[in-house]
């Protein structure tokens, strides 16, 4: 019986904190609701925990199960209609994408989403094929954000993924940091050529890697197609290709 009491207490605590979170979320949208007319959030919590009997909860309360309880405090339908009308008015003059920072303009040939296929191999492993998507984006700052994901072909099962930042400099040099899903991190330095649309990178640091000693990456855009070659050196094998892939812009 004591155990049941403790269980109930635990569940009640969970319900309370979930309610508090849900209410704060709804409250946070700045809605002119009855909620705001209440003296404080404690009143709402007291109201909800008063009508939630712990026995009613089989497990962790979900937003769906909480909805009927918090709905009295939610904005009216009229509020949402007005808000949506306001939003569609605003979206007709939606803010334009941020202007390209001059520092990344020479690498604008990379920007966008690319999808393609690759081939992997190395003297110590069986070769394999994979699908891959790359995304190069910017937020108006002098840096390109990079994300990549790969999947097995033909099953589509997720494989390696990585993300990082590309920081070109005006003298034609570039530094890139990459974090891999395998736990390896790379600091890459190299050069780019905006006319030839190439970027060549050589690892200055490969961190948290048990086998890899060195990584090079070469990117090139030819006739609108992006391709890369990744080479690596391990403790046992000298620098040679591990990956090659080719992409079309989405
Ligand atoms: C720079 C990025 C990468 C590095 C540094 C890296 C590193 C390695 C290393 C050290 C090995 C083991 C080699 C050995 O045992 O001698 C390996 C194997 C492998 N890698 Fe990568 N890899 C990278 C990217 C990728 C990507 C993008 C994929 C998939 C699309 C991939 C798929 C594989 C596969 C399938 C194996 C063989 C695993 C096995 O047979 O046990 N790697 N990689």
């Amino acid at each position: 019986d004591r155990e049941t009491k403790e269980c109930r207490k635990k569940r009640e605590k969970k319900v309370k904190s979930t309610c508090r979170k849900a209410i704060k979320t709804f409250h946070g949208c700045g809605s002119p609701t009855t909620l705001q007319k209440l003296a404080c959030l404690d009143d709402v919590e007291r109201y909800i925990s008063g009508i939630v009997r712990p026995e009613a909860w089989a497990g962790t309360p979900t937003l769906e199960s909480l909805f009927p309880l918090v709905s009295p405090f939610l904005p009216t339908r009229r509020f949402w209609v007005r808000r949506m009308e306001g939003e569609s008015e605003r979206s007709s003059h939606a803010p334009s994408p941020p202007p390209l920072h001059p520092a990344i303009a020479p690498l604008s040939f990379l920007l966008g989403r690319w999808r393609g296929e690759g081939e992997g191999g190395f003297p110590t492993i069986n070769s394999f094929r994979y699908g891959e998507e790359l995304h190069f984006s910017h937020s108006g700052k002098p840096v390109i954000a990079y994300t990549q994901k790969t999947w097995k072909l033909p099953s589509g099962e997720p494989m390696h993924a990585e993300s990082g930042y590309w920081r070109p400099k005006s003298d034609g040099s570039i530094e890139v940091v990459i974090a891999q899903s395998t736990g390896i991190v790379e600091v890459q330095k190299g050069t780019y050529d905006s006319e030839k649309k190439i970027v060549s990178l050589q690892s200055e640091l490969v961190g948290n890697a048990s086998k890899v000693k060195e990584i090079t990456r070469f990117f090139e855009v030819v006739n609108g197609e992006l391709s890369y070659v990744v080479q690596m050196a391990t403790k046992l094998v000298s620098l040679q290709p591990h990956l090659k892939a080719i992409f079309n812009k989405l």
Side-chain angles (χ1 to χ4, degrees):
D1 195 38
R2 232 182 105 205
E3 215 178 81
T4 329
K5 254 188 194 168
E6 271 175 16
C7 275
R8 275 184 197 170
K9 256 191 182 173
K10 257 192 194 165
R11 229 182 283 147
E12 200 169 10
K13 215 173 152 192
K14 220 176 224 178
V15 170
K16 271 190 178 181
S17 79
T18 314
C19 284
R20 203 181 295 140
K21 264 189 224 148
I23 290 162
K24 271 193 184 155
T25 311
F26 292 127
H27 197 56
C29 67
S31 50
T33 60
T34 46
L35 182 61
Q36 284 176 336
K37 289 184 201 139
L38 291 165
C40 65
L41 279 173
D42 283 353
D43 283 347
V44 183
E45 195 185 308
R46 230 170 283 137
Y47 171 78
I48 290 176
S49 44
I51 54 174
V52 174
R53 278 171 303 114
E55 295 83 4
W57 302 98
T60 310
T62 63
L63 262 187
E64 281 77 25
S65 56
L66 276 172
F67 189 78
L69 302 171
V70 294
S71 58
F73 305 110
L74 294 181
T76 58
R77 192 174 139 17
R78 209 162 127 234
F79 166 78
W80 286 115
V81 170
R82 269 206 241 124
R83 190 174 164 135
M84 277 160 78
E85 279 168 355
E87 248 156 41
S88 65
E89 239 170 63
R90 276 200 297 281
S91 64
S92 57
H93 7 115
S96 42
L100 201 64
H101 193 286
I104 62 164
L107 282 187
S108 60
F109 63 88
L110 285 178
L111 292 173
R113 209 172 277 281
W114 303 82
R115 189 177 297 154
E117 283 186 18
E119 269 176 42
F122 208 62
T124 44
I125 63 172
N126 292 325
S127 51
F128 56 94
R129 282 179 55 244
Y130 60 94
E132 178 165 6
E133 202 172 297
L134 303 178
H135 188 207
F136 293 95
S137 60
H138 75 102
S139 58
K141 306 208 51 129
V143 57
I144 293 176
Y146 159 75
T147 60
Q148 175 258 32
K149 63 178 178 184
T150 60
W151 55 90
K152 275 189 189 165
L153 286 177
S155 71
E157 196 185 318
M159 289 179 90
H160 176 109
E162 57 191 38
S163 64
Y165 295 98
W166 295 47
R167 303 159 52 79
K169 294 179 194 155
S170 55
D171 63 358
S173 67
I174 178 167
E175 65 179 55
V176 174
V177 290
I178 295 175
Q180 300 188 14
S181 57
T182 52
I184 295 179
V185 292
E186 290 168 65
V187 175
Q188 294 272 1
K189 300 228 167 146
T191 53
Y192 64 86
D193 187 324
S194 56
E195 302 276 296
K196 291 186 185 146
K197 297 187 178 170
I198 56 176
V199 183
S200 182
L201 303 171
Q202 161 76 51
S203 60
E204 187 171 279
L205 179 151
V206 176
N208 200 33
S210 57
K211 291 184 177 173
V212 187
K213 291 266 140 220
E214 186 187 342
I215 301 168
T216 66
R217 296 178 180 249
F218 180 79
F219 290 78
E220 185 175 32
V221 174
V222 178
N223 297 329
E225 280 184 333
L226 171 67
S227 63
Y228 72 65
V229 178
V230 172
Q231 300 199 87
M232 69 175 173
T234 60
K235 276 180 185 158
L236 300 176
V237 182
S238 64
L239 190 72
Q240 53 198 287
H242 179 37
L243 310 158
K244 285 178 192 180
I246 187 156
F247 304 82
N248 284 306
K249 189 89 161 263
L250 289 182

